[in-house]
Amino acid sequence: MRRGKLTVVGAGPGDVDLITLKGIKALQNADVVLYDALVSPELLEYAPVAEKIFVGKRKGCYSYQQEQINDLIVERATKGMHVVRLKGGDPFVFGRGAEEMEHAATFGVDVAVVPGISSSVSVPASQNIPVTKRGAAESFWVITGTTKEHKLSSDVALAAKSNATVIILMGMSKLGEIMELFKNEEKENTPVAIIQNGTTENEKIGIGTVASIEHKAKEQQLSNPAIIVIGEVVNHRQRVLDIQREYQFQGEKLQERV
């Protein structure tokens, strides 16, 4: 019997065009695809003959608990099937991909990973916000807003003391606590962006400061799934927009003279 295999594939941040070619090839060769809520259904079209099982979470409700997902992977793979575990973003950035690979390997299943484009850097980039920029930020933190104990990560307080860009995933429920830590470091005027449903047609963005972003989030009804970006790099977005607007204005004035 053919030996089974698990391939953990990063689907990218949401835009279907941002999955890798290697990820598409894995889907085309899959017998079973286990996919999450943040994965675009369009990507499943690359696996036309595979069994497709939704194992994600929607509005706090789990279709499968993690232990059940692990059992599904092993059960299918030990029958000689190629199981593709399709995850949003990159499976090694808060994706539990490493845990699933380790579990499958203990049952003699061959395992592989196809990295994905992480939402932590690509979603800000989609809004012209670089995570580093000369003179503004020399490094960046990527932090989960909620730990497995459902508490705010202690790393946020450490990040607030630095001059780095701080990117927080899964942090909207802790937005007030996060901003309070930055206020404690006298960073009330530091720019903040919240990007919801990044790189998709439903993308929304709110821009403010540490002092004002909570009000902006309520005003614009921003919620999960969203990424919080804190740092001077947020100002780059407006700078680019202003330059583009100026060139457009100059072009229109030139046409009027012709």
Side-chain angles (χ1 to χ4, degrees):
M1 187 176 73
R2 185 180 70 167
R3 188 170 181 177
K5 180 180 180 179
L6 166 67
T7 304
V8 181
V9 175
D15 183 340
V16 294
D17 291 336
L18 291 177
I19 191 172
T20 64
L21 286 172
K22 193 166 185 176
I24 289 172
K25 289 176 182 177
L27 286 169
Q28 291 171 335
N29 292 319
D31 297 306
V32 186
V33 179
L34 309 182
Y35 64 100
D36 285 343
L38 295 180
V39 169
S40 171
E42 288 182 56
L43 292 178
L44 301 178
E45 295 174 10
Y46 288 111
V49 298
E51 177 186 11
K52 301 167 188 71
I53 305 173
F54 174 72
V55 295
K57 179 177 70 171
R58 285 189 177 132
K59 295 183 178 178
C61 299
Y62 290 85
S63 54
Y64 286 82
Q65 296 293 329
Q66 187 60 49
E67 293 77 13
Q68 294 173 303
I69 295 171
N70 291 343
D71 290 343
L72 265 176
I73 291 169
V74 171
E75 189 266 329
R76 297 297 200 277
T78 52
K79 289 180 179 177
M81 296 181 178
H82 179 199
V83 180
V84 167
R85 180 71 174 96
L86 190 60
K87 294 173 171 287
D90 180 274
F92 282 3
V93 181
F94 307 127
R96 303 190 76 169
E99 297 170 42
E100 292 170 354
M101 291 175 70
E102 186 176 358
H103 180 81
T106 62
F107 287 84
V109 175
D110 288 337
V111 296
V113 62
V114 178
I117 298 174
S118 174
S119 59
S120 61
V121 294
S122 60
V123 167
S126 74
Q127 285 289 341
N128 294 321
I129 299 173
V131 295
T132 62
K133 185 183 179 185
R134 284 194 301 172
E138 299 171 352
S139 60
F140 62 94
W141 294 65
V142 180
I143 309 171
T144 178
T146 307
T147 65
K148 65 180 181 179
E149 292 84 17
H150 304 290
K151 296 179 180 179
L152 183 64
S153 170
S154 58
D155 283 349
V156 178
L158 296 173
K161 296 179 184 295
S162 77
N163 293 320
T165 303
V166 181
I167 301 150
I168 301 175
L169 282 62
M170 299 171 286
M172 287 301 288
S173 64
K174 303 280 195 302
L175 183 61
E177 291 178 58
I178 293 166
M179 293 306 116
E180 202 58 41
L181 291 171
F182 280 81
K183 289 174 186 176
N184 291 343
E185 302 299 328
E186 299 182 348
K187 293 185 175 180
E188 290 87 349
N189 296 321
T190 299
V192 181
I194 296 175
I195 309 165
Q196 179 182 330
N197 293 316
T199 77
T200 72
E201 60 183 14
N202 300 318
E203 185 173 75
K204 293 169 64 177
I205 184 167
I207 302 289
T209 64
V210 166
S212 68
I213 196 64
E214 286 182 82
H215 173 73
K216 294 277 187 181
K218 289 177 183 176
E219 186 179 68
Q220 297 181 231
Q221 297 183 321
L222 296 169
S223 61
N224 283 318
I227 288 177
I228 304 165
V229 185
I230 309 165
E232 295 300 325
V233 292
V234 172
N235 285 335
H236 176 78
R237 176 179 182 271
Q238 189 60 50
R239 173 69 176 149
V240 169
L241 290 173
D242 289 343
I243 293 170
Q244 289 176 329
R245 196 174 293 118
E246 178 62 25
Y247 268 94
Q248 183 179 3
F249 174 76
Q250 294 295 341
E252 289 171 354
K253 296 293 285 183
L254 186 62
Q255 284 181 348
E256 288 176 6
R257 294 174 187 171
V258 174

